[in-house]
Amino acid sequence: MRKILLIFQLFLSVWAYGQVNLGQGLIAYYPFNGNANDVSGNNINGVVNNATLTTDRGGQTNSAYYFNGTSSYIQLPYSPLYNFAPNDSFTLCVRILPDQGN
């Protein structure tokens, strides 16, 4: 019974997996690989202010930023690519790990 269940689980996992083309409509992508540069090809590079590079959730050094909660931020230059009309829709995706107790 275990073998059948395992095979069913693997089949279900493969069948339920969907691939999304994240490059389609992508305006900017910041992998934080030592800097805040956009690697989407649109060159909307960020300017880091008071944020420090740190280790990401996967253990990669200099692949995430620590923000102090008061004066640190990454400033992006203006780009007509993200000059949305009020009724346009868009998506932002971020991963955040708050400090304990904050």
Side-chain angles (χ1 to χ4, degrees):
M1 181 64 178
R2 274 194 187 166
K3 289 182 182 179
I4 294 171
L5 181 60
L6 179 60
I7 292 170
F8 176 73
Q9 184 178 8
L10 288 174
F11 175 75
L12 183 62
S13 296
V14 171
W15 179 77
Y17 178 76
Q19 184 67 34
V20 177
N21 181 0
L22 296 177
Q24 183 178 1
L26 184 67
I27 293 173
Y29 173 55
Y30 304 95
F32 297 147
N33 51 358
N35 55 49
N37 290 344
D38 170 25
V39 297
S40 72
N42 293 322
N43 296 318
I44 306 172
N45 298 326
V47 176
V48 179
N49 294 284
N50 242 2
T52 55
L53 283 163
T54 187
T55 303
D56 71 6
R57 66 188 180 93
Q60 294 289 342
T61 57
N62 296 327
S63 296
Y65 276 96
Y66 177 80
F67 298 90
N68 64 19
T70 57
S71 63
S72 56
Y73 59 95
I74 297 176
Q75 184 174 358
L76 301 178
Y78 169 79
S79 171
L81 294 173
Y82 52 73
N83 188 18
F84 304 115
N87 59 346
D88 284 348
S89 61
F90 62 94
T91 301
L92 296 174
C93 180
V94 297
R95 293 184 185 260
I96 299 172
L97 176 63
D99 283 340
Q100 187 173 356
N102 292 327

